[in-house]
Amino acid sequence: MQYLKRFFCTAAAVPAVLTVNLCADTSAAVNALVEQMSLEQKIDFIGGHEAFYIRGYADCGIPEIHMADGPVGVRENGASMAYPAAINLAATWDRDLAYATGKAIASEARSKNIHMMLGPGMNIYRMPVCGRNFEYLGEDPYLAGQQAVSYIHGMQNEGVIACAKHFVANNQEFERNHCSSDMDERTLHEIYLPAFKASVIEGGVGSVMTSYNLINGVHASQNAYLIQDVLKGEWGFDGFAVSDWVSTYDGLACAQNGLDLEMPSAEMMNRDTILSALENGTLTESVLNDKIERILSVYERFGLLEHPDISKGYTLDNEFVTETALQAAREGIVLLKNEGQLLPLKADKIHKIAVIGPNGSPAITGGGGSSLVETSTPISVVDAIRKLAGNGIEVTYNPGVFGETILPAGIFEGAKFYHYENGVQKPGVEAAYYAGKELSGEPTGYKVYTNLNLRDADIWGAELPEKDISARYKCCFTPEASGNYVIGVSGDDGYRLFVDGVQALEEWRNQSEREAKYEAYLEAGREYHFELEYYQAGGGASIRMGTMQKPKGMSNEDCLQEALAAAKAADIVVLAVGFNPKTEGEGFDRSYELPYGQGQLIEAVAKENPNCVVVLNAGGNVAMEGWIDGCKGLLHAWYPGSVGNQALAEILFGKTNPSGKLPVSFAYTMEENPCYASYFDTDNDLKVFYREGIFVGYRYWDESETTPRYPFGYGLSYTSFDYAALQTDKTEYSIGEPVEVSLTVSNSGAVNGAEVVEIYVGDTVSSLPRPVKELKGYDRVELNPGETKTVHVTLVPEAFAFYNPETHAWETEPGEFVIYAAASSQDIRGQKIIHLN
């Protein structure tokens, strides 16, 4: 209840939902509800129910509440606005916009009577290949925490519970259910916990979701140190801890060590487990009651006990929703290169624009997995450019590569597979199923399928369990015509394909559904033997295989020649490239290289027409060597959401001045990344020790003799900004005092623009190694040409502290500190020395 006093809201925004009597004894009211519940009801309550709701008990006055995936839109109950990816929100460096985004998403959730959104995500960006980087808020814990706090306030002030995820150190998708993120105590507290700490202490978040992975050998969902000692103890979290979907491994350990709610169902923390633990004394009913009281206290805090239908009487402001999503893209797209001031485009000097690349159409709104929002009428790059270019400019489109059309939906339906039974050829695919994932021992069952296009119950059937099974599918295929063929496979979880006994594909890992393809020249009339091995670890299940012959004229080379012809005929080329939901998403780590030969496409097109701008969709950095020098412009558009390509077109034509700043450092090569040597599980022991420690991202580059290609905080504008008069309110401080920083920023260019002022703190002498500087403040300021404004930033006492693993506490040592004002981590515009006594 104490958090409600901090939350501000208008009656128009939140009619009745948060109107709670602050004088009422909420604790007593919640306890009374708990006392009405039977023991069986209590156990069932903490076990979740189905996929996205917590069961209610009407006889006890407890309503059912609904959840939906986030953090970039509402995935449940039909189409919604897809907002730009969370890393785009970090690139805005705009707290007010983060607040508006949380509010807008919550408003759509309320209109659908969804009570809890599963976001924000705030895991730290260690390596560019992590499959879910786009869902998170960058490499810096302070920036991530500040943007998350504003997002949470916007969401929860609208009457919808936010859920901070994934707690903690879910920094890679490879074997996420089994891989342990191992690190020293200081690294954990200085890099990977602070954003979550801010979400609890500053944001008052209602729920925290544990991650899939282990931390120092203990699964997050049963990690007593993290949940009990840190989250609920040190930080005083009074909400509830919920598991990620199918991320529990020991029901009793989860119950004992602080998990309050298992989702999506009581697979581990169930009646059998809890009852036996209560009976033998390893668990007390008071522990069970605490979990329920935490959940119901959040219900009460948000008014859900009395007003469970939060959609009643609520009118969605569609204009606010659309404008917020559009503004987030405007502020988050980062201009990284603008050679010869090619941008903004001069419409009066252009007759023809060629949009080339697979991401030009249809629109790529987001990455793959649970955050991908079903959205109506998204705007593609091509359509957005055509709309803004007007009738005087011709806009053509060519995909440039054939890769995007390799696996159409029909490939899994029409394959003419056959097998042999006692020497007789029969249509279909034969399957043998095994217990466990290694296809060992005697098969537990056999089946024959017409086509290999199986999901969930198609695989399990009545006689097979829903997890920890494997299968071997065998069939033959005889092409009717010779030519280049594609054998496409898609699976959740692992699979590997053998063609005539030779391995052709391997995706042998726990993952969300992921497609792969094998291309080969097949001869007409020849029989080819396919063997597909598969395992299912848990959660959703799918395994699909099909074949198709490549149409004539539809090879990558053919597409490239068409693209080069289009580029030659154009004044300007916009290369829309990058990843999509199939190539970057939850459940797998992506490649560092652009998929489908797009790097070679950019290089070839830039040679044909150097007046080209690359528009990149990705959750972070990609391999640029080979093509970056040939293109004149580079815009990192992340994943822009439903309407974000309109913002992109506005930036191309100068209607909007780009103001995004990188929330991550972009190295020249993947090998130069500070985490490269400790990211991959090279010894296959499912343990990854974070050897870089606290020196992640720019903290590493500041210590290095080399520099990144594009540093943290970097971003170009169509105007220029001058910094001056950096000062602090005094130069001598007592430890524990805040430091007031001010400086002036002037727009010295010819157009309106926005600048992000970054304030870093450096400790010149410390008993433990510390980074050269750390981000501890920032502000975004908008300026007209010739205008000057004064920027004020308050550095709280914690800005000068470090975590001491010897005392297990944050400490500030007296001495000299340097305050830096910067336009990026490597573009220092001023510095000031202060002393803490």
Side-chain angles (χ1 to χ4, degrees):
M1 296 304 297
Q2 67 270 25
Y3 286 120
L4 282 176
K5 299 175 184 178
R6 295 211 310 260
F7 286 4
F8 59 94
C9 56
T10 64
V14 192
V17 173
L18 291 186
T19 306
V20 180
N21 183 358
L22 297 179
C23 297
D25 188 348
T26 302
S27 178
V30 168
N31 289 339
L33 290 178
V34 175
E35 289 176 6
Q36 294 179 49
M37 301 176 73
S38 68
L39 182 61
E40 290 76 11
Q41 286 177 326
K42 291 177 182 180
I43 295 171
D44 289 346
F45 191 69
I46 66 169
H49 190 62
E50 297 300 332
F52 285 101
Y53 67 90
I54 307 176
R55 74 187 71 206
Y57 293 98
D59 55 331
C60 298
I62 300 173
E64 181 178 283
I65 75 162
H66 293 247
M67 310 173 183
D69 267 320
V72 293
V74 184
R75 272 175 53 93
E76 299 301 307
N77 300 349
S80 300
M81 176 63 70
Y83 296 79
I87 198 165
N88 173 103
L89 190 62
T92 70
W93 296 62
D94 188 336
R95 295 178 179 88
D96 291 339
L97 187 55
Y99 180 96
T101 299
K103 176 181 172 68
I105 293 172
S107 69
E108 288 196 88
R110 282 200 60 189
S111 71
K112 298 182 176 189
N113 201 34
I114 291 170
H115 309 86
M116 176 172 161
M117 288 297 301
L118 304 179
M122 56 190 73
N123 295 107
I124 295 297
Y125 178 117
R126 286 186 71 224
M127 279 283 287
V129 297
C130 173
R132 298 185 83 174
N133 275 335
F134 65 91
E135 292 187 48
Y136 304 141
L137 295 165
E139 72 183 33
D140 183 76
Y142 178 78
L143 174 62
Q146 290 297 295
Q147 293 295 98
V149 165
S150 295
Y151 176 105
I152 290 165
H153 283 163
M155 179 165 286
Q156 296 197 155
N157 288 351
E158 195 68 10
V160 173
I161 305 164
C163 181
K165 65 181 189 182
H166 306 91
F167 188 68
V168 62
N170 187 177
N171 307 114
Q172 63 191 63
E173 288 298 286
F174 169 77
E175 288 286 3
R176 63 180 181 174
N177 295 75
H178 305 102
C179 201
S180 182
S181 299
D182 295 349
M183 67 192 77
D184 63 80
E185 185 179 348
R186 185 184 178 197
T187 297
L188 178 66
H189 280 269
E190 288 199 15
I191 302 296
Y192 299 98
L193 287 176
F196 289 95
K197 182 178 182 180
S199 76
V200 170
I201 295 177
E202 297 177 48
V205 73
S207 178
V208 172
M209 179 187 290
T210 59
S211 55
Y212 283 102
N213 53 288
L214 303 88
I215 301 93
N216 293 328
V218 182
H219 270 110
S221 57
Q222 59 194 60
N223 196 306
Y225 174 70
L226 289 170
I227 304 175
Q228 298 281 59
D229 298 349
V230 175
L231 178 64
K232 295 180 178 180
E234 181 183 335
W235 299 347
F237 175 62
D238 61 357
F240 61 91
V242 57
S243 75
D244 205 341
W245 269 231
V246 199
S247 71
T248 53
Y249 309 89
D250 183 324
L252 179 58
C254 288
Q256 290 174 320
N257 297 328
L259 189 72
D260 300 309
L261 177 67
E262 179 184 15
M263 292 298 289
S265 60
E267 183 177 358
M268 295 291 177
M269 216 158 67
N270 53 35
R271 191 175 299 183
D272 291 342
T273 301
I274 302 300
L275 275 177
S276 61
L278 290 171
E279 290 169 357
N280 63 32
T282 56
L283 196 69
T284 65
E285 192 169 347
S286 63
V287 173
L288 192 62
N289 289 345
D290 177 69
K291 300 178 188 304
I292 300 168
E293 287 166 7
R294 285 177 172 274
I295 298 171
L296 293 184
S297 292
V298 173
Y299 282 27
E300 176 69 9
R301 172 178 153 191
F302 284 82
L304 303 181
L305 293 174
E306 294 185 3
H307 304 284
D309 186 353
I310 61 175
S311 67
K312 187 176 181 180
Y314 186 79
T315 301
L316 178 64
D317 186 345
N318 285 297
E319 183 178 352
F320 169 68
V321 165
T322 301
E323 183 59 29
T324 300
L326 180 58
Q327 189 63 20
R330 286 174 178 145
E331 294 187 20
I333 293 172
V334 184
L335 177 61
L336 294 175
K337 183 177 182 180
N338 193 17
E339 183 181 318
Q341 303 302 303
L342 179 65
L343 296 176
L345 301 176
K346 288 74 177 174
D348 58 342
K349 297 181 180 179
I350 297 172
H351 301 288
K352 193 171 188 176
I353 297 175
V355 179
I356 296 172
N359 289 24
S361 184
I364 304 298
T365 62
S370 61
S371 71
L372 185 62
V373 176
E374 176 192 346
T375 184
S376 59
T377 61
I379 303 170
S380 70
V381 173
V382 173
D383 289 342
I385 291 175
R386 282 177 178 155
K387 182 178 180 180
L388 211 58
N391 296 328
I393 300 175
E394 181 185 357
V395 180
T396 64
Y397 175 64
N398 187 284
V401 295
F402 184 54
E404 290 296 305
T405 59
I406 285 298
L407 296 182
I411 190 173
F412 302 118
E413 296 290 346
K416 297 181 179 179
F417 294 138
Y418 60 92
H419 66 287
Y420 289 94
E421 293 183 12
N422 300 320
V424 178
Q425 187 182 114
K426 293 189 175 182
V429 180
E430 59 179 347
Y433 286 93
Y434 300 82
K437 63 179 286 186
E438 297 301 333
L439 298 103
S440 58
E442 291 296 318
T444 59
Y446 296 91
K447 289 189 177 184
V448 174
Y449 300 98
T450 303
N451 290 303
L452 198 58
N453 187 13
L454 310 177
R455 289 183 183 275
D456 296 337
D458 298 330
I459 299 172
W460 302 321
E463 68 278 11
L464 295 172
E466 297 184 4
K467 60 181 290 186
D468 293 328
I469 61 170
S470 54
R472 181 175 286 111
Y473 303 96
K474 292 183 178 181
C475 63
C476 301
F477 175 70
T478 300
E480 296 178 356
S482 298
N484 293 314
Y485 280 77
V486 171
I487 298 97
V489 181
S490 182
D492 174 354
D493 290 289
Y495 59 85
R496 48 194 174 213
L497 172 68
F498 299 85
V499 178
D500 287 343
V502 178
Q503 184 167 306
L505 292 174
E506 181 171 16
E507 294 286 339
W508 200 254
R509 63 176 66 91
N510 292 0
Q511 59 189 1
S512 300
E513 182 164 354
R514 189 178 187 188
E515 294 182 352
K517 65 183 190 303
Y518 170 68
E519 299 185 26
Y521 181 85
L522 303 183
E523 298 177 4
R526 177 182 166 184
E527 183 174 270
Y528 293 87
H529 297 263
F530 296 167
E531 185 173 304
L532 181 64
E533 297 179 345
Y534 168 73
Y535 80 85
Q536 161 61 11
S542 65
I543 185 67
R544 305 189 288 165
M545 181 172 68
T547 61
M548 65 173 286
Q549 184 177 7
K550 278 189 173 182
K552 292 182 179 180
M554 288 302 289
S555 67
N556 261 3
E557 183 60 32
D558 294 327
C559 288
L560 177 60
Q561 293 307 314
E562 292 177 9
L564 294 178
K568 186 176 182 178
D571 301 304
I572 297 291
V573 177
V574 176
L575 280 155
V577 297
F579 295 84
N580 62 35
K582 294 181 180 179
T583 53
E584 182 171 26
E586 179 181 359
F588 61 93
D589 282 349
R590 68 160 168 88
S591 66
Y592 186 59
E593 294 73 25
L594 291 173
Y596 306 120
Q598 294 176 47
Q600 293 84 350
L601 170 68
I602 301 170
E603 189 173 0
V605 168
K607 288 179 180 177
E608 190 66 54
N609 187 339
N611 292 322
C612 65
V613 179
V614 174
V615 175
L616 179 62
N617 294 133
N621 194 15
V622 302
M624 298 182 186
E625 58 273 17
W627 58 261
I628 186 62
D629 293 335
C631 65
K632 290 187 176 180
L634 173 59
L635 282 161
H636 204 308
W638 314 104
Y639 292 105
S642 301
V643 296
N645 285 323
Q646 178 181 328
L648 170 68
E650 291 176 1
I651 290 172
L652 288 172
F653 285 100
K655 184 177 178 180
T656 294
N657 190 349
S659 60
K661 296 286 192 84
L662 287 179
V664 294
S665 306
F666 279 11
Y668 281 91
T669 67
M670 185 166 65
E671 291 77 9
E672 291 178 341
N673 191 289
C675 307
Y676 178 77
S678 58
Y679 182 84
F680 302 99
D681 182 24
T682 54
D683 59 2
N684 298 314
D685 66 351
L686 295 179
K687 296 179 181 179
V688 174
F689 186 78
Y690 290 26
R691 293 205 300 268
E692 73 282 358
I694 63 172
F695 294 96
V696 178
Y698 70 87
R699 290 166 168 80
Y700 163 79
W701 295 109
D702 282 351
E703 298 276 353
S704 174
E705 296 180 357
T706 59
T707 58
R709 187 190 298 276
Y710 299 115
F712 175 81
Y714 176 84
L716 298 176
S717 171
Y718 296 152
T719 189
S720 55
F721 300 97
D722 298 329
Y723 292 43
L726 172 65
Q727 58 185 2
T728 56
D729 55 332
K730 52 186 179 179
T731 57
E732 299 285 334
Y733 297 85
S734 296
I735 290 176
E737 283 188 88
V739 175
E740 301 295 335
V741 180
S742 64
L743 69 154
T744 61
V745 181
S746 303
N747 184 343
S748 53
V751 296
N752 298 344
E755 173 70 336
V756 175
V757 177
E758 305 163 27
I759 303 297
Y760 297 83
V761 173
D763 187 356
T764 58
V765 178
S766 176
S767 60
L768 291 178
R770 298 191 67 178
V772 172
K773 63 181 184 295
E774 297 177 278
L775 182 74
K776 295 299 179 180
Y778 62 90
D779 197 14
R780 185 179 185 275
V781 57
E782 297 186 9
L783 297 164
N784 295 319
E787 185 179 10
T788 298
K789 288 183 179 179
T790 300
V791 174
H792 298 273
V793 173
T794 299
L795 298 176
V796 298
E798 291 77 12
F800 303 91
F802 65 92
Y803 187 87
N804 189 336
E806 294 297 322
T807 60
H808 311 291
W810 288 87
E811 298 179 357
T812 303
E813 295 177 336
E816 182 180 273
F817 288 81
V818 184
I819 310 300
Y820 300 91
S824 81
S825 64
Q826 299 205 345
D827 184 4
I828 307 301
R829 301 295 184 89
Q831 59 186 66
K832 181 82 173 178
I833 295 176
I834 64 169
H835 293 85
L836 299 187
N837 301 318

